[in-house]
Amino acid sequence: MSKPRVGILTGGGDVPPLNAVISAAQRAVAQRGIELIGFLKGWEGVLQNRYVSLSRIRVHDDIGGTILKSSRLNLATVPDAPQRVLDNLKRLRLRGLIVIGGEDTLSNSLLLREFPQVLISKTIDNNVGILRFSNKKVSLNHVVNYFTLGYPTAAEKISEFVSLQYGLRSTAYSHERIIVVESMGMHTGWLALASCMGNPDFIIIPEFPLDYELFKEQLALRYERNKHVIVVIAEGARWKNGGFVSADEKDKDEFGHPRFKGAASILADRLKQDLKIRFDTRNLNAVNPSYLYRSGAPSKLDSDFAQKLGTKAVGLFAEGFDESILLTIQRNNNSFKLGRYPVKELRTIEELHRFVDKTFYRENEYTATREARKYLAEIVEQIPRTEYGVNLKD
Ligand code: F6P
């Protein structure tokens, strides 16, 4: 009799711990006499029946990206795609499918609810989950899906990129610069918010549209006092009087998301013009680390949970699980454990879309709150503020 089979795919923007999920699943199937097949380029591979057997392929779990490659195919836009995908999965006699993706990739899963799937959320955007806070009580144990895979590594990177010890603040100091750093994150500010652990001066996120005049004044005052300033702006930031800072509303991707075109440089150019009457703004620059946020090896937390999730997903199918669920990461007192969120309760994936709220962000100061630091401290280390520099009398 042939071995039972489970499939796995990775879709959407890659993140460092994807290979760690795949290699943990490989180890788990080896122990349970299951065959693991990997679809190439996410849902595209399922639609086109392109897959590899993962029994003999070496997967390095400390290398970022995904050995299976990725795509952003929206099944809802291809005629008959959900039925064709379902037919292919059935023809392969798969017991179930492990789907590792962000909102868009997971939204394809909802089109095939009747097929058993274990969903694993990954995205540096950290936007798949729910903040179940009541008005009075903020408990980190009430965050459904505490983080998405990839967010801890990207959070560590952004906080290092802006910090004095590892990143841009030292050169900003030496050259008396204002540096505007761009974060990824699509419509949400989670990644930009994480930079607070590296102590930037200001953070601008999409959830709280930017009052440009107010911000410009605060920035100028900070520069006149300290002579170096670090600003972080999320790619999806919006102006208070309407519209994205960087995107052209008409240029959309497969899932209808705008393609952002450099919020940091647009803001830097505008500030350069408007502040030149107050001080020399030739030193006002934009930096966009872009795909570096998603590249490289996973952090320990990311890698540990990637392995737990991969092992759990295989374990569920080995035990005969035949429904669909999202595996979540839950904080329980001082540690994390895996949880489950039933997919049948979801009408659309947007029900799981998580924005930064006022618990975590001080709107008119452009900074993270103490609660945000508490939340992030579970994911990434705070880089200490160090007294540094000379005080020059003008
Ligand atoms: O969703 C993850 C993400 O990195 C976003 O933060 C970013 O806007 C997008 O992917 C970039 O997409 P692409 O890889 O298609 O350039």
Side-chain angles (χ1 to χ4, degrees):
M1 215 176 75
S2 57
K3 284 182 180 178
R5 284 173 142 185
V6 167
I8 188 164
L9 67 82
T10 51
D14 65 358
V15 293
L18 290 175
N19 283 330
V21 185
I22 299 168
S23 74
Q26 273 183 322
R27 288 191 293 276
V29 291
Q31 284 163 9
R32 293 169 179 269
I34 296 176
E35 185 190 357
L36 184 66
I37 67 169
F39 290 98
L40 298 175
K41 293 197 174 178
W43 287 106
E44 207 175 288
V46 192
L47 188 64
Q48 298 170 353
N49 220 13
R50 293 182 66 219
Y51 59 89
V52 287
S53 166
L54 280 166
S55 14
R56 276 195 210 91
I57 292 175
R58 172 137 190 240
V59 182
H60 294 259
D61 52 15
D62 53 352
I63 291 184
T66 160
I67 193 140
L68 292 173
K69 301 190 177 176
S70 189
S71 70
R72 291 186 185 277
L73 179 67
N74 183 352
L75 291 179
T77 63
V78 182
D80 301 330
Q83 190 55 49
R84 279 159 61 199
V85 159
L86 206 52
D87 291 345
N88 286 345
L89 294 171
K90 285 184 180 157
R91 199 172 313 120
L92 286 165
R93 296 192 319 282
L94 293 188
R95 191 177 272 198
L97 183 64
I98 303 170
V99 180
I100 315 167
E103 267 192 331
D104 298 338
T105 302
L106 302 181
S107 71
N108 284 335
S109 291
L110 299 191
L111 302 173
L112 328 157
R113 283 166 205 266
E114 68 268 43
F115 193 83
Q117 297 170 73
V118 173
L119 278 44
I120 295 178
S121 68
K122 64 82 230 170
T123 167
I124 61 168
D125 305 348
N126 196 39
N127 59 0
V128 181
I130 308 173
L131 301 176
R132 278 206 177 130
F133 302 151
S134 71
N135 276 345
K136 292 206 185 79
K137 193 163 162 19
V138 174
S139 163
L140 296 179
N141 293 342
H142 294 160
V143 181
V144 176
N145 206 25
Y146 200 89
F147 62 87
T148 54
L149 286 182
Y151 182 63
T153 312
E156 189 174 292
K157 283 183 193 281
I158 197 166
S159 52
E160 288 185 1
F161 288 161
V162 300
S163 71
L164 174 69
Q165 292 90 327
Y166 310 106
L168 292 162
R169 174 138 350 239
S170 58
T171 189
Y173 169 83
S174 314
H175 294 270
E176 299 197 335
R177 288 197 160 123
I178 296 174
I179 303 183
V180 183
V181 183
E182 180 157 333
S183 86
M184 281 190 158
M186 203 71 92
H187 297 288
T188 51
W190 292 104
L191 184 58
L193 188 80
S195 70
C196 73
M197 303 303 263
N199 312 308
D201 296 274
F202 301 106
I203 302 173
I204 300 165
I205 62 174
E207 290 87 340
F208 295 85
L210 177 63
D211 183 333
Y212 177 73
E213 293 303 325
L214 181 74
F215 174 69
K216 187 182 71 179
E217 188 55 26
Q218 288 191 31
L219 174 83
L221 292 174
R222 184 72 57 94
Y223 183 73
E224 282 157 357
R225 195 181 75 203
N226 294 351
K227 296 285 190 284
H228 60 99
V229 179
I230 304 284
V231 180
V232 174
I233 181 166
E235 61 180 358
R238 293 166 170 275
W239 302 119
K240 194 147 210 163
N241 52 9
F244 291 110
V245 170
S246 82
D248 166 356
E249 305 271 351
K250 289 196 198 100
D251 185 14
K252 304 251 170 79
D253 72 8
E254 272 233 45
F255 283 89
H257 306 304
R259 290 184 215 276
F260 300 114
K261 298 190 182 76
S265 58
I266 292 170
L267 181 65
D269 285 350
R270 188 166 173 189
L271 291 165
K272 211 180 227 203
Q273 275 304 317
D274 294 348
L275 288 172
K276 70 180 178 209
I277 43 168
R278 277 176 84 161
F279 48 79
D280 182 357
T281 56
R282 281 173 299 175
N283 251 344
L284 202 160
N285 304 127
V287 170
N288 186 359
S290 178
Y291 295 113
L292 286 174
Y293 292 122
R294 287 175 11 192
S295 308
S299 72
K300 183 164 181 331
L301 182 64
D302 250 340
S303 177
D304 286 353
F305 272 85
Q307 292 179 47
K308 286 193 168 79
L309 288 160
T311 311
K312 180 74 186 175
V314 169
L316 285 169
F317 288 131
E319 287 153 19
F321 180 76
D322 63 357
E323 292 164 41
S324 287
I325 47 152
L326 171 74
L327 283 180
T328 58
I329 298 168
Q330 296 303 130
R331 182 176 178 276
N332 185 21
N333 300 321
N334 291 322
S335 63
F336 290 120
K337 61 179 178 51
L338 298 188
R340 297 179 187 198
Y341 195 94
V343 165
K344 65 168 181 280
E345 284 181 13
L346 285 176
R347 271 170 296 132
T348 66
I349 207 75
E350 280 80 45
E351 287 172 31
L352 285 179
H353 191 96
R354 170 167 63 198
F355 289 104
V356 175
D357 73 1
K358 61 181 183 343
T359 317
F360 292 136
Y361 187 73
R362 270 198 214 97
E363 184 170 11
N364 294 328
E365 293 168 33
Y366 307 97
T367 52
T369 60
R370 189 192 294 255
E371 279 71 25
R373 284 174 194 275
K374 276 195 211 152
Y375 167 77
L376 283 154
E378 307 273 332
I379 296 175
V380 60
E381 270 181 45
Q382 166 79 55
I383 301 173
R385 279 179 203 273
T386 301
E387 282 303 318
Y388 175 78
V390 289
N391 267 329
L392 293 179
K393 295 241 167 351
D394 285 337

